[in-house]
Amino acid sequence: MTGQPAGLEVVETTPLEPDGPNALARAIGLLGDEWTLLILRQAMAGTTRYVDFAAALPISNAVLTRRLETLVAERLVERSVYQERPVRAEYVLTRRGRGVWPVLVAMWGWERTWVPEHVYATPPIPHRQCGREMTPLFCCAACGEPAPATSMRTGWGPSGGWRRSVPEVSTRRRPGSRAGRAETPTLYPDTMAVFGNRWSAAVVGAAFRGVRRFSEFQELLGAPPSLLTERLASLTERGILRQVEVAPHRVEYALTRKGLDFFPVVALALQWAERWYTAAEGPVMAWTHACGAAFEGELTCDHCRVPLRPRDIVLEEP
């Protein structure tokens, strides 16, 4: 007998085109949309039916339908028809979809720490293992020690490179509301300032690699000068970058502490992407932690240092 045993979920990886957008570009292009993130959060809370997604989110039917279609096409959710007349379906997370959970937790923790005017939308996260309110701590899975961006030695892998890491499209959520219903506050405002625009994401990625000068950003990323100016100004206004005067009438751009602390979101998004979007050439990045091990990151509780698992915390709705 061939085939998989009944009930065993199979989610194949997606092969990437040689010299095309790499896994990082695919991750940012997909997760850099707040509606997609909010739908995934609802799905992780147990929502499966279209009508329940529509009731929980201030989203138009057209946008909800498009986002669910994208999630099905990308194999983050599986569509299962449970009624034929009229046709009604459930949208159930796959392993690929459930794998986004650490990225959402990292976003949640970063927004709560660094966007104080937004704290009403990011209530405390209780950790069931130790019973305390915690902030996710990003650690090296090999040695268990914290893994800030400054503890990494990095280099491009075989499928890396600046141009291949820029998403092809930007799908940032636009303001608006459903008729007769006020739109709820955004849950990830500063995260979307980075992930929700392909050039902002590319600029922040370049800054993590040590790029500081306008001319370097432009040369490496290929961004139009006016657009690059706008993106640098926006990231500076958000406190993710800061201007450093290095000579009269000449400034460079450096990551702030807030910007550096965004590293877990980027690293976890890339880990997720490279698990599910495979390039024949090899990985996007080659990372080594300060302990000397090839780096793989994980989120832990900042009090008891136990690795976080979905069953142990709840991302509550504001």
Side-chain angles (χ1 to χ4, degrees):
M1 178 183 245
T2 60
Q4 295 291 333
L8 180 61
E9 178 188 19
V10 178
V11 185
E12 297 178 352
T13 60
T14 300
L16 299 176
E17 292 291 328
D19 299 322
N22 60 26
L24 180 58
R26 290 293 294 268
I28 295 172
L30 180 62
L31 302 180
D33 173 75
E34 196 167 12
W35 285 127
T36 296
L37 297 176
L38 293 175
I39 290 169
L40 287 171
R41 278 197 55 201
Q42 287 294 325
M44 288 177 192
T47 303
T48 60
R49 299 187 178 188
Y50 185 100
V51 64
D52 294 327
F53 284 113
L57 300 171
I59 186 173
S60 71
N61 289 331
V63 172
L64 177 57
T65 297
R66 287 197 299 270
R67 296 303 192 275
L68 286 172
E69 288 174 347
T70 296
L71 289 170
V72 170
E74 295 287 343
R75 290 183 276 179
L76 274 74
V77 300
E78 186 176 66
R79 184 176 183 270
S80 175
V81 175
Y82 65 87
Q83 179 177 304
E84 293 291 345
R85 296 184 180 178
V87 174
R88 291 179 179 168
E90 289 186 323
Y91 297 87
V92 181
L93 286 168
T94 62
R95 279 195 299 131
R96 183 183 297 200
R98 293 193 297 274
V100 177
W101 180 84
V103 184
L104 294 179
V105 174
M107 290 177 178
W108 188 267
W110 185 75
E111 291 274 346
R112 179 164 178 79
T113 300
W114 288 107
V115 192
E117 68 274 15
H118 179 64
V119 72
Y120 65 88
T122 51
I125 305 175
H127 186 218
R128 291 190 175 116
Q129 288 277 11
C130 67
R132 302 177 70 176
E133 292 179 357
M134 65 91 195
T135 298
L137 181 66
F138 191 52
C139 293
C140 171
C143 68
E145 290 301 307
T150 53
S151 70
M152 296 294 151
R153 187 168 69 250
T154 65
W156 287 120
S159 65
W162 300 111
R163 304 298 175 92
R164 293 188 65 181
S165 301
V166 178
E168 292 182 312
V169 295
S170 179
T171 54
R172 184 175 182 175
R173 172 180 169 185
R174 304 300 180 190
S177 63
R178 176 186 295 175
R181 183 175 177 182
E183 184 177 15
T184 57
T186 177
L187 286 179
Y188 305 105
D190 283 25
T191 297
M192 287 300 103
V194 179
F195 266 22
N197 180 283
R198 68 189 186 117
W199 291 114
S200 290
V203 166
V204 171
F208 273 116
R209 295 297 313 280
V211 177
R212 295 169 63 102
R213 297 168 58 182
F214 185 97
S215 58
E216 289 181 297
F217 284 114
Q218 186 179 2
E219 179 182 358
L220 292 170
L221 303 179
S226 59
L227 190 150
L228 179 57
T229 298
E230 178 194 0
R231 292 296 90 207
L232 288 168
S234 174
L235 292 167
T236 300
E237 182 181 357
R238 293 272 183 178
I240 295 166
L241 295 177
R242 62 186 176 90
Q243 289 188 343
V244 179
E245 187 171 354
V246 294
H249 310 295
R250 201 186 93 193
V251 298
E252 293 182 348
Y253 295 86
L255 287 163
T256 62
R257 174 69 186 278
K258 176 180 177 179
L260 287 168
D261 278 0
F262 195 72
F263 175 69
V265 179
V266 176
L268 288 167
L270 179 56
Q271 284 184 195
W272 172 81
E274 292 202 310
R275 166 67 180 85
W276 297 108
Y277 297 90
T278 56
E281 314 98 294
V284 175
M285 300 290 298
W287 288 351
T288 303
H289 186 238
C291 70
F295 178 69
E296 181 176 354
E298 64 179 5
L299 294 177
T300 69
C301 170
D302 62 334
H303 296 296
C304 66
R305 301 291 284 272
V306 170
L308 299 180
R309 299 291 180 261
R311 64 180 177 273
D312 294 328
I313 72 170
V314 177
L315 289 179
E316 298 179 356
E317 296 299 324

